[in-house]
Amino acid sequence: MQFIDTHCHIHLSDYKLDADSVVKDAVKAGVSKLVCVGCTIEDSKLGIEFAEHHENAWASIGLHPHEAKNYIGNNELLNEFSELVKSPKVVAIGECGLDYYYMHSSKEEQKQLLRFQMELAVKANLPLIFHIRDSFDDFWPIFDDFNGLRGVVHSFSANRQVLTDALSRGLYVGLNGIMTFTKDPGQLEAAKVVPLDRLLLETDAPFLTPTPYRGTICQPKHVVVTAEFLADLRNEQIEDIASSTTHNAQKLFNI
């Protein structure tokens, strides 16, 4: 069985484990490919550099909604970010989106930065990795302003109505370790009914370590733990989850 971790941050300069060893351990566990996801210009550059030095890694360049106040109105930085799409290792834009839980940037700043990245994705013909928290009511109208967007709702932990909204727009759904420790039955009910042809696996490493490894640093190899949990939750064979999610990731990210 082969798996793909479609969302991790092991390229971060403060990742507390040796990234080369982490990649090797992932491969041993069956995680053959991974996508390093950026949240700032600097972080995105590190992701590209990491991917260039690991043949089984790719990069997604993104400006997180938390960072919107640092970029809106700064055309020099936005142009610098746009140039990063030229790297052959860049396979997506994100994580980008709206986060109304922490509100580190204003709603208007977040919306502007999201639209900027959506426009870049259309121009570059790349999929998007969306971070949406407590903000779907504002997100969908923005999404619907664009034609032909492809992407995934990262770290999906919403209810079945949001799932229906995402699926109706052709989006993929990324599930991670949250599913193994959530106490919200609505999240588990939604996870049960994500169609196999729309499901992606991710870790968000070093965050969201799945049970039973809570308290340790999350790694791409832990995507297998989430897959095993989902197989049991959904009453499916793990081989089917592995093959479907791998196919989906290869199709979306062209890897």
Side-chain angles (χ1 to χ4, degrees), residues 156-160 175 178-194 229-230 233-234:
F156 186 88
S157 55
N159 56 36
R160 289 187 67 165
L175 298 182
I178 288 175
M179 293 302 122
T180 70
F181 58 80
T182 182
K183 303 300 183 184
D184 186 338
Q187 293 177 356
L188 293 175
E189 284 303 312
K192 286 180 181 179
V193 295
V194 179
F229 175 86
L230 291 174
L233 176 72
R234 295 160 57 95

Side-chain angles (χ1 to χ4, degrees), residues 63-75:
L63 302 174
H64 196 283
H66 290 343
E67 306 291 331
K69 62 181 181 294
N70 300 321
Y71 292 96
I72 291 303
N74 192 326
N75 290 332

Side-chain angles (χ1 to χ4, degrees), residues 60-84:
S60 178
I61 59 168
L63 302 174
H64 196 283
H66 290 343
E67 306 291 331
K69 62 181 181 294
N70 300 321
Y71 292 96
I72 291 303
N74 192 326
N75 290 332
E76 183 178 347
L77 282 180
L78 294 177
N79 289 335
E80 181 183 353
F81 176 78
S82 298
E83 289 295 305
L84 298 180

